Amino acid sequence: MSPDDYCQQKTAQSGSSFYYSFLFLPPERRRAITALYAFCREVDDTVDECTDESIARIKLAWWRKEIANMYEGQQTHPVTQALQPHLAPYNLQQQHLQAIIDGMEMDLNQTRYLDYTALSKYCWHVASVVGILSASIFGATKQETLQYAEKLGHAFQLTNIIRDVGEDARKGRIYLPVNELQQFNVTAADLLNARHTENFEKLMAFQAARAQKVYDEAFALLPKEDRRAQRPGLMMSAIYRTLLTEVEADGFHVLTQRISLTPIRKLWLAWKTYIRG
């Protein structure tokens, strides 16, 4: 299996909404974004699938060194072998790839976030940076486009947090800010015990309204000149925002189930966004 094949398989198996937007890219950009996404999956799986925290830290340290080696042309992993040829053409910065690893390590260091400022720092590391790198691969010509991508990544992560409240709680992680739980009189025990209350619905409506606002702020930053090149991000937005709307329409029943869109619906949303330009 070639490095590109490895990344393609890793990305396709994830079932992520991102995969559907990659299908519409020219081959070279598609290979680059697939390699980037495979890297994100590798380091994310290191934390999520490793039951021994010390082993997870060792693996993340290995990835830090592997990324540094990649910029010296001494990569050994299939993912870095696939990603390395795209570093210079798309101006992919090592500091951004290392920042993603920092974000994964944050999941080992803390399971609660005191306020939205603290949560935003986490979102920047695990999602906004990915947005910046992705926009560079898609073809950003304006600084505002990178700002748009940074904010869009933040909106995606907020959507993920809303969708995964129950699943994350069962893993011992609560990303909803502590001061906002207190504001709506929802306890960590409510989440851990899947108690769906009126207060919980109000809390989640507050979270969703903020996510929707961040989407709007992101779109306002995208320059007209780069809109066509950035269609993959807009496709992801169509999928993620539809998901958020579905969660809202379902009354935020996210403590006991994981609401998702079918593959055919994701593909349809991606296609509609693509032809709209």
Side-chain angles (χ1 to χ4, degrees):
M1 184 186 294
S2 73
D4 284 335
D5 289 339
Y6 177 92
C7 293
Q8 173 66 25
Q9 187 178 80
K10 186 84 178 175
T11 304
Q13 285 176 343
S14 72
S16 169
S17 300
F18 292 86
Y19 174 72
Y20 297 90
S21 65
F22 301 166
L23 299 174
F24 297 86
L25 282 166
E28 199 61 24
R29 293 187 194 274
R30 187 167 67 243
R31 281 193 288 272
I33 194 67
T34 300
L36 172 64
Y37 187 76
F39 162 70
C40 295
R41 287 259 46 90
E42 289 282 353
V43 291
D44 190 41
D45 291 347
T46 292
V47 173
D48 281 349
E49 296 178 2
C50 191
T51 53
D52 188 325
E53 183 184 312
S54 61
I55 298 297
R57 291 185 187 279
I58 290 169
K59 287 184 174 182
L60 288 179
W62 183 90
W63 274 108
R64 288 187 193 283
K65 187 166 178 56
E66 177 69 2
I67 292 300
N69 287 344
M70 177 177 64
Y71 280 84
E72 299 294 328
Q74 298 173 12
Q75 61 281 352
T76 59
H77 194 279
V79 165
T80 45
Q81 288 171 350
L83 186 57
Q84 199 275 340
H86 306 292
L87 301 179
Y90 301 119
N91 192 29
L92 305 181
Q93 301 294 311
Q94 180 176 174
Q95 66 192 46
H96 286 146
L97 293 169
Q98 296 287 5
I100 295 170
I101 300 174
D102 291 340
M104 301 308 167
E105 193 161 35
M106 287 174 76
D107 273 330
L108 298 176
N109 295 336
Q110 64 185 110
T111 57
R112 303 284 192 278
Y113 292 87
L114 194 59
D115 52 27
Y116 183 56
T117 300
L119 179 64
S120 294
K121 180 184 176 185
Y122 172 76
C123 290
W124 186 85
H125 280 281
V126 299
S128 293
V129 173
V130 180
I132 294 168
L133 290 164
S134 300
S136 299
I137 291 171
F138 299 152
T141 65
K142 304 275 186 182
Q143 184 61 33
E144 294 91 336
T145 303
L146 299 181
Q147 294 168 357
Y148 141 82
E150 183 176 353
K151 195 167 279 285
L152 190 61
H154 188 89
F156 289 162
Q157 190 60 29
L158 293 178
T159 304
N160 282 339
I161 288 169
I162 291 166
R163 178 195 63 192
D164 297 337
V165 168
E167 188 177 318
D168 287 334
R170 288 188 288 277
K171 293 177 182 174
R173 297 176 191 160
I174 296 175
Y175 294 103
L176 303 178
V178 171
N179 68 336
E180 292 172 8
L181 289 170
Q182 294 169 342
Q183 178 185 338
F184 288 91
N185 198 25
V186 175
T187 65
D190 288 335
L191 305 183
L192 295 169
N193 294 306
R195 286 196 285 266
H196 184 101
T197 63
E198 186 178 339
N199 284 345
F200 174 75
E201 285 189 25
K202 289 177 181 176
L203 167 66
M204 297 308 291
F206 176 81
Q207 304 296 322
R210 177 163 57 204
Q212 297 283 17
K213 182 171 180 284
V214 177
Y215 278 111
D216 289 338
E217 291 169 352
F219 296 147
L221 288 168
L222 179 59
K224 190 181 296 183
E225 301 94 317
D226 277 358
R227 182 179 172 86
R228 188 173 180 83
Q230 296 300 318
R231 279 186 299 185
L234 296 173
M235 291 179 210
M236 294 179 217
S237 302
I239 293 169
Y240 264 74
R241 214 166 187 183
T242 299
L243 172 64
L244 181 57
T245 302
E246 291 277 311
V247 171
E248 290 180 90
D250 191 58
F252 301 103
H253 285 89
V254 291
L255 291 173
T256 55
Q257 63 180 348
R258 190 177 194 267
I259 297 170
S260 60
L261 306 180
T262 63
I264 194 69
R265 191 169 179 199
K266 291 177 184 178
L267 190 58
W268 171 242
L269 288 166
W271 171 247
K272 273 206 308 184
T273 306
Y274 180 81
I275 59 174
R276 196 179 300 142

